[in-house]
Structures are given as structure tokens and as C-alpha cells.
């Protein structure tokens, strides 16, 4: 933890007491997109960038929040009696939502706290800055107040619950799970219907994972996301009229094809097709990775993009430009949109010797076509959230 942050904490909140530090990472999903609320598989990994936090217990009920990323907002004050979402609360709705969820689950918070954060995930990039803040808050509350029976998995579920019920975004479990449970150099092959998971080493001796940030975030993100989720639920209900299933993730491609006409609305049918095929693709991709068939893994990533673009309709012009440019580059094994969509980032597997040209050429052509720069990050896969 950087010395300046500790100094800043003391400057804002005063010296003394037991100031503790924590970190929770962002994530990138390699494949298995928009499957986590349909009982499918996902394959994310934790990044080495994320949200850092410093916190100190108080002796009263006050909550004081400060973010170095939003330093203009100064200290935002609240209290444990005021765990209610509001627009003015801005980013503090995320930690407050987690506190509210702790209390709802019977983990009464005995005191308020002074809380300081700094995040190095680019804002709105779809690399889960909000999930990392939720998981960070969970790790911090568990440690500060000694809730030792809570597991990292519980903290992921608490983060998701607060995002769904306090912040109104009906997300699945992937982001919080990856932030809480990440493991260095591994991706997490998670079955979202049971939360059974396996760490799969990401061995890429000749290639790197490159994230490209389109630096666009179209509005309606939350509402379009919730719409997709509702459309999948409608499709599931229609299918349940003709077959005995609990989730779209239970179906193979052949089972889907045999019963898809039961889904009355053609849009819902396309959404369900994506959910089923993407889940099966994820299972195949992890198998390919384990067998060192990286090219096969890359092809499945490309197919994932096509499905997200055409059937799930969560891509956008800028992201399609980035993916098309990547597909044309020599040395690119696979490239696709990653995360919730409607902007944000792509993830690509790029041969070591092609990485510099990838960044230079795509950077230049993207700027020519779109009018602003993209940003590139060559990824290191890190560990999950922890006390520092
Ligand atoms: C967002 C959500 C996740 C998941 C992805 C799409 O990141 O928070 O739960 O649904 O979108 O795969």
C-alpha cells in the first residue's frame, strides 16, 4: 500500500487508531459471456488492477467516505442509520449496499468507519470496478468487525445481492466471484448453477492476453442488461411448457434446436440461443485450453463475439471495429467483447511477437475511424481480494 495514501488518510481523517489496508481486483472474462444468470458456465480471471482501501473503525455510527478518484467530492458523510440508496450518494452506494446486506443477514455493524479508496481500473470500462469495490468492502467489514465465519464465497454473494437489491443492477455472480476468488495465473471455470468451480492454469507460453478499452460506454447499460435477463427468463418459461428444465444452462445445442419453437417471441429465442450455445462453447474452450489447443480456444472466442453481436445484441459499433481490426491482424488467435457490453473492452489472445504491432496498428486505425484513442493493457492474472 502506497505511503501517500496512508498520509492522505491521516490528513483527511486525523491520526491514530488502527488503520488497515485491503485490495480487491477487477476481472476480465475470457469466455462465457451473459451466461451467469442462466445457470451457465463462465471463465473469468482476476486482474492485478483493482480497488485499494484503507479503513479505521470509529466509536460512533458515522460513516465517512473518501475516494482519491473523486477527490473533488471531498469527504462524503453518512451513518449506519442511513443505509438507503440515493443519487447524491454516488459511488458510496456500493459500500453502503454491502453494509446494508451485512445487516440484513444478521451481521450487525457495531460502529461506523472512516473509509478511503483508490481504484486503478479505468472507470466504466467493464472490468468490474463496482464489483471490486463491493468485495473490498466485504473483506474490510469481515476483518474490522471479526465476522470470521464468512467465507470469500459468502462475500461474493453479499456483493451480488447488494448490487441487485441496493443498486438495482440485476447482475449474475461472475464479477464478484472472480474478484473474491481469483488466483494468480489461473482462470476460474465456474458453474453458476451450483457455484462449483475449478482453477484452470492459463498457460500461454507464446501469447499474451490483451485488453483493449474502446473508451465508450453507451447509456442504458443497466436497463438493457436487465432487459436481456428478462428475455432469457421469458424464453425459459416457454421452454418449461414443453420440457422439464430449471435453467437454460442445462441444455445442449441439440436439445435447444429440438425445442426452440416453443419460445414464441423471436427476440427471446435469439437470446436463449446465445445463452445455450455460449455455455457449451465455454465448456469446449476450457477443454481446449487444458489440452493446450490455444488456437481452438481463440476460434471459440471469435464465435462468442459473433453470437454476442448478432443474437444477444450487446455489442456496439466501436467494439465491432476493434474486434474486426483484431481479427485481421496476423498473430491474433482470438478476439471478442468482454463483460456486460454496450461499450467497454475487448479481450484478445495475441502471439508475443505480434503484441507491439497489435497495439500500434489497431490504436492508429481505431483513432482514424472513431476519433478518439483506445487504451491497451497486457494482462497479468492476479490473486483475489485480501487484506494487505
Ligand atoms: C456484467 C455482470 C455479470 C455478467 C456479465 C456478462 O459484468 O455483472 O454478472 O452477466 O455482465 O457476462
Amino acid at each position: 500500500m502506497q505511503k501517500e495514501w496512508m498520509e492522505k488518510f491521516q490528513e483527511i481523517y486525523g491520526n491514530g487508531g488502527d488503520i488497515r489496508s485491503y485490495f480487491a481486483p477487477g476481472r476480465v472474462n475470457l469466455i462465457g459471456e451473459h451466461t451467469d444468470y442462466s445457470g451457465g458456465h463462465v471463465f473469468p480471471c482476476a486482474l492485478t488492477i483493482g480497488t485499494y482501501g484503507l479503513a479505521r473503525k470509529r466509536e460512533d455510527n458515522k460513516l465517512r467516505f473518501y475516494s482519491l478518484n473523486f477527490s473533488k467530492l471531498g469527504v462524503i458523510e453518512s451513518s449506519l442509520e442511513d443505509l438507503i440508496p440515493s443519487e447524491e450518494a454516488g459511488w458510496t452506494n456500493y459500500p453502503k449496499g454491502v453494509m446494508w446486506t451485512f445487516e440484513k443477514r444478521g451481521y450487525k455493524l457495531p460502529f461506523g468507519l472512516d473509509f478511503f479508496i483508490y481504484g486503478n481500473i479505468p472507470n466504466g470500462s467493464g472490468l468490474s470496478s463496482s464489483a471490486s469495490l463491493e468485495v473490498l468492502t466485504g473483506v474490510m467489514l469481515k476483518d474490522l468487525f471479526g465476522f470470521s465465519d464468512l467465507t470469500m464465497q459468502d462475500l461474493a454473494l453479499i456483493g451480488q445481492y447488494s448490487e441487485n437489491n441496493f443498486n438495482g443492477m440485476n447482475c449474475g455472480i461472475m464479477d464478484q466471484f472472480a474478484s473474491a476468488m481469483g488466483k494468480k495465473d489461473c482462470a476460474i471455470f465456474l458453474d453458476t448453477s451450483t457455484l462449483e468451480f475449478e482453477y484452470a492454469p492459463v498457460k500461454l507460453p507464446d501469447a499474451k492476453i490483451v485488453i483493449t478499452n474502446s473508451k465508450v460506454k453507451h447509456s442504458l447499460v443497466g436497463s438493457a442488461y436487465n432487459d436481456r435477463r428478462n428475455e432469457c427468463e421469458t424464453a425459459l418459461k416457454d421452454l418449461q411448457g414443453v420440457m422439464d428444465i430449471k435453467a437454460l444452462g442445462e441444455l445442449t445445442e441439440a436439445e435447444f434446436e429440438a425445442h426452440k419453437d416453443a419460445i414464441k417471441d423471436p427476440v427471446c429465442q435469439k437470446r436463449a440461443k446465445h445463452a445455450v450455445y455460449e455455455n457449451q462453447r465455454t465448456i469446449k474452450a476450457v477443454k481446449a485450453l487444458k489440452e493446450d489447443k490455444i488456437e481452438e480456444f481463440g476460434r471459440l472466442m471469435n464465435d462468442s463475439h459473433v453470437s454476442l453481436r448478432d443474437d444477444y445484441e450487446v455489442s456496439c459499433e466501436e467494439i465491432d471495429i476493434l474486434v474486426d481490426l483484431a481479427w485481421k491482424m496476423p498473430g491474433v488467435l482470438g478476439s471478442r467483447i468482454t463483460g456486460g457490453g454496450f461499450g467497454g473492452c475487448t479481450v484478445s489472445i495475441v502471439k508475443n511477437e505480434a503484441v507491439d504491432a497489435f497495439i500500434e496498428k489497431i490504436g492508429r486505425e481505431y483513432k482514424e475511424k472513431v476519433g478518439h484513442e483506445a487504451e491497451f493493457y497486457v494482462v497479468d492474472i492476479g490473486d483475489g481480494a485480501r487484506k494487505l
Side-chain angles (χ1 to χ4, degrees):
M1 175 64 75
Q2 294 194 0
K3 205 166 139 256
E4 308 91 82
W5 300 341
M6 186 59 92
E7 283 166 9
K8 187 79 188 161
F9 183 99
Q10 289 169 330
E11 181 193 316
I12 302 167
Y13 296 128
N15 295 333
D18 178 10
I19 306 167
R20 302 188 187 176
S21 35
Y22 308 89
F23 172 73
R27 65 94 189 90
V28 65
N29 188 24
L30 300 180
I31 194 162
E33 211 68 79
H34 285 282
T35 52
D36 66 344
Y37 44 87
S38 289
H41 292 77
V42 292
F43 197 47
C45 40
L47 300 170
T48 49
I49 54 174
T51 309
Y52 291 86
L54 290 171
R56 181 175 61 196
K57 265 192 275 195
R58 297 179 54 86
E59 283 166 3
D60 56 19
N61 269 350
K62 268 196 198 160
L63 296 170
R64 295 198 292 177
F65 298 101
Y66 182 90
S67 162
L68 205 52
N69 301 80
F70 298 104
S71 54
K72 282 207 190 97
L73 300 177
V75 175
I76 300 177
E77 297 226 5
S78 187
S79 87
L80 289 175
E81 271 82 63
D82 181 36
L83 297 176
I84 299 160
S86 75
E87 214 166 293
E88 312 82 74
W91 69 268
T92 69
N93 280 315
Y94 292 106
K96 284 171 88 174
V98 173
M99 294 173 187
W100 173 82
T101 308
F102 266 70
E103 298 231 318
K104 226 174 138 55
R105 302 220 164 158
Y107 293 91
K108 173 118 192 55
L109 306 179
F111 301 108
L113 37 97
D114 295 334
F115 190 24
F116 171 101
I117 65 158
Y118 170 70
N120 56 5
I121 303 174
N123 261 338
S125 58
L127 301 175
S128 295
S129 53
S130 47
S132 77
L133 177 52
E134 289 155 2
V135 173
L136 178 87
T137 307
V139 171
M140 176 191 80
L141 296 176
K142 170 180 165 164
D143 177 63
L144 280 180
F145 299 124
F147 299 132
S148 50
D149 60 323
L150 288 172
T151 62
M152 289 308 286
Q153 198 161 307
D154 293 331
L155 298 182
L157 288 164
I158 288 175
Q160 183 202 14
Y161 186 92
S162 74
E163 177 111 23
N164 292 171
N165 297 287
F166 197 87
N167 286 293
M169 161 85 173
N170 229 346
C171 65
I173 187 63
M174 171 169 73
D175 303 350
Q176 291 80 5
F177 199 94
S179 181
M181 306 291 288
K183 182 171 167 180
K184 190 171 164 37
D185 297 330
C186 291
I188 309 171
F189 182 41
L190 170 68
D191 179 343
T192 63
S193 68
T194 58
L195 295 190
E196 271 167 38
F197 69 99
E198 182 191 325
Y199 291 116
V202 180
K203 293 177 273 141
L204 300 173
D206 308 320
K208 298 259 182 302
I209 301 170
V210 182
I211 296 176
T212 308
N213 186 354
S214 68
K215 304 200 77 177
V216 293
K217 193 81 213 166
H218 294 290
S219 51
L220 295 175
V221 181
S223 63
Y225 182 95
N226 291 348
D227 290 347
R228 295 297 178 284
R229 189 168 178 155
N230 291 337
E231 286 154 1
C232 284
E233 275 157 22
T234 304
L236 175 64
K237 279 202 197 93
D238 285 349
L239 284 172
Q240 283 169 332
V242 294
M243 50 194 323
D244 182 21
I245 52 166
K246 289 199 186 62
L248 295 174
E250 289 169 30
L251 297 178
T252 62
E253 296 97 327
E255 285 163 340
F256 175 77
E257 293 300 333
H259 296 92
K260 66 180 181 193
D261 292 337
I263 306 170
K264 291 175 221 90
D265 182 311
V267 171
C268 296
Q269 196 179 111
K270 282 208 288 188
R271 307 300 191 238
K273 179 178 177 206
H274 167 78
V276 171
Y277 279 70
E278 178 74 356
N279 179 43
Q280 295 300 327
R281 249 192 305 276
T282 306
I283 297 169
K284 288 179 199 144
V286 174
K287 183 166 179 286
L289 184 70
K290 284 185 183 162
E291 293 167 359
D292 292 321
K293 295 182 183 151
I294 311 298
E295 272 153 29
E296 169 76 4
F297 188 87
R299 270 195 298 277
L300 291 162
M301 287 175 75
N302 296 346
D303 294 348
S304 164
H305 184 76
V306 172
S307 176
L308 288 157
R309 183 190 66 194
D310 299 344
D311 287 333
Y312 220 65
E313 297 180 279
V314 289
S315 190
C316 62
E317 199 191 336
E318 295 86 348
I319 289 285
D320 289 339
I321 289 174
L322 284 176
V323 169
D324 285 335
L325 289 171
W327 284 348
K328 286 193 200 114
M329 289 279 302
V332 173
L333 301 176
S335 186
R336 57 180 286 275
I337 187 172
T338 184
F342 310 101
C345 292
T346 67
V347 58
S348 311
I349 311 274
V350 187
K351 286 257 174 90
N352 289 340
E353 66 274 13
V355 171
D356 289 345
F358 180 94
I359 295 175
E360 191 278 318
K361 190 158 189 278
I362 296 183
R364 181 164 34 81
E365 294 190 13
Y366 182 73
K367 184 158 187 218
E368 276 163 22
K369 286 183 201 270
V370 174
H372 66 257
E373 314 248 350
E375 264 172 21
F376 297 86
Y377 325 105
V378 179
V379 169
D380 289 317
I381 304 178
D383 282 319
R386 57 202 178 263
K387 187 176 179 190
L388 296 175

